[in-house]
């Protein structure tokens, strides 16, 4: 990934965290530099944990990435929610469960 692509993705993650806080999240953070399947972790008002994979532009989560993402979440807790977020340029993010 080029440095420009990393910055764009990191900026999207930061913007998404701001949106989570605006929506009432108690805590949210990036997993910066981890190169893991999880980009953002959040604790929501109801106490639930949510994991997010953020994709910018035309990038999409592959079926294998999705399977790994869901399997990881299930190991953490049966109550952990997982979301794929696609954020195209100058558009609202699309959040899928």
């Amino acid at each position: 990934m080029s440095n420009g692509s990393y910055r764009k993705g990191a900026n999207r993650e930061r913007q998404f965290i701001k949106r989570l806080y605006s929506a009432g999240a108690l805590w949210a953070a990036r997993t910066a530099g981890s190169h893991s399947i999880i980009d953002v972790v959040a604790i929501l008002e109801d106490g639930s944990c949510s994991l997010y994979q953020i994709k910018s532009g035309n990038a999409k989560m592959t079926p294998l990435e999705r399977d790994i993402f869901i399997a990881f979440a299930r190991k953490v807790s049966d109550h952990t929610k997982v979301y794929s977020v696609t954020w195209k340029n100058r558009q609202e993010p699309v959040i899928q469960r």
Side-chain angles (χ1 to χ4, degrees):
M1 179 187 307
S2 73
N3 197 17
S5 294
Y6 174 82
R7 276 197 311 266
K8 181 179 179 182
N11 286 338
R12 288 290 191 207
E13 292 166 10
R14 288 183 195 99
Q15 290 170 340
F16 191 72
I17 287 171
K18 286 181 183 179
R19 286 173 177 259
L20 288 170
Y21 278 122
S22 293
L26 302 175
W27 177 83
R30 294 177 58 230
T31 60
S34 67
H35 302 289
S36 72
I37 196 76
I38 300 163
D39 291 325
V40 174
V41 179
I43 305 298
L44 306 180
E45 281 184 295
D46 64 2
S48 67
C49 175
S50 292
L51 308 176
Y52 300 89
Q53 172 61 238
I54 313 292
K55 296 290 187 185
S56 296
N58 293 321
K60 292 182 180 174
M61 196 180 232
T62 67
L64 178 60
E65 285 177 322
R66 184 167 177 73
D67 290 346
I68 292 169
F69 191 45
I70 291 168
F72 178 82
R74 286 189 180 136
K75 286 185 179 187
V76 173
S77 167
D78 288 337
H79 305 291
T80 301
K81 298 173 189 166
V82 295
Y83 299 93
S84 172
V85 180
T86 305
W87 203 332
K88 294 190 178 193
N89 295 336
R90 297 181 183 89
Q91 295 179 8
E92 288 295 307
V94 176
I95 303 169
Q96 297 176 323
R97 183 161 178 170

